[in-house]
């Protein structure tokens, strides 16, 4: 079973940090007191995490990580969608992130676009709040899918 859990600023982040440390190689930092973290569990085991914070008029996403043994199950996609939903539910004007160049394809699937020098690494990406679209079917190439709604 897949479950998600939100951690508000000030909450105990030990389970979040276990994933962050295992995948990204670092634990707590100066963003933790101001970030909302999401943790995705698979069969009650912490499997993926990410966080969102407010800075300089934008929501920022970061530190999206999936435990290596749990990859390939779309858990990173779920974390990204949960973070974008959090921004959307708070009327985000825009959402930004920085990521390695080789991960831009992952983020562009949900509408984030490069917003800085094309030579930079990490790459800065953004999406205007009104363009956040979490409807999986809207970008699906399947024409005869039973889940697609007419219109």
């Amino acid at each position: 079973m897949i479950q998600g859990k939100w951690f508000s600023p000030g909450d105990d982040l030990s389970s979040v940090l276990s994933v962050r440390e295992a995948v990204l190689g670092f634990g707590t930092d100066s963003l933790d007191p101001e970030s909302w973290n999401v943790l995705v569990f698979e069969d009650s085991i912490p499997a993926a995490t990410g966080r969102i914070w407010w800075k300089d008029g934008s929501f920022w996403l970061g530190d999206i990580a999936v435990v290596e043994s749990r990859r390939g199950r779309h858990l990173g996609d779920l974390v990204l969608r949960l973070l974008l939903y959090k921004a959307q539910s708070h009327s985000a004007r825009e959402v930004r992130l920085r990521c390695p160049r080789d991960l831009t394809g992952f983020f562009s699937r949900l509408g984030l676009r490069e917003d800085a020098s094309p030579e930079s690494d990490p790459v800065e990406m953004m999406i205007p709040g009104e363009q956040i679209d979490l409807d999986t079917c809207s970008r699906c190439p399947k024409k005869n899918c039973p889940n697609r709604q007419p219109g």
Side-chain angles (χ1 to χ4, degrees):
M1 179 185 337
I2 306 294
Q3 295 176 302
K5 180 178 179 183
W6 282 101
F7 295 82
S8 60
D11 285 350
D12 175 14
L13 297 178
S14 55
S15 52
V16 169
L17 295 175
S18 69
V19 174
R20 194 188 301 166
E21 289 168 351
V23 178
L24 302 175
F26 74 95
T28 191
D29 66 13
S30 62
L31 287 174
D32 286 326
E34 59 195 65
S35 298
W36 281 80
N37 287 266
V38 66
L39 183 62
V40 171
F41 296 85
E42 184 179 40
D43 299 325
S44 301
I45 297 170
T49 190
R51 62 182 168 175
I52 184 170
W53 65 94
W54 175 260
K55 179 183 174 193
D56 299 329
S58 300
F59 282 96
W60 285 82
L61 310 182
D63 306 313
I64 296 172
V66 179
V67 172
E68 189 172 359
S69 64
R70 304 290 173 155
R71 292 183 184 158
R73 296 177 171 114
H74 306 286
L75 300 177
D77 181 77
L78 176 58
V79 167
L80 179 57
R81 287 172 186 277
L82 288 167
L83 293 169
L84 287 171
Y85 179 77
K86 178 67 87 176
Q88 189 178 47
S89 69
H90 284 82
S91 302
R93 181 179 58 85
E94 68 180 17
V95 179
R96 296 184 163 275
L97 63 84
R98 288 188 186 96
C99 69
R101 178 154 304 284
D102 62 337
L103 294 180
T104 58
F106 171 76
F107 294 107
S108 66
R109 291 183 308 182
L110 285 176
L112 286 111
R113 298 287 173 246
E114 292 184 34
D115 189 47
S117 167
E119 300 83 38
S120 67
D121 199 351
V123 176
E124 189 166 309
M125 300 183 78
M126 68 86 61
I127 184 170
E130 69 273 3
Q131 291 181 16
I132 296 172
D133 180 7
L134 300 175
D135 177 6
T136 303
C137 290
S138 67
R139 287 175 303 282
C140 179
K142 297 177 185 173
K143 301 297 180 210
N144 297 319
C145 177
N147 294 322
R148 186 178 294 277
Q149 300 295 318

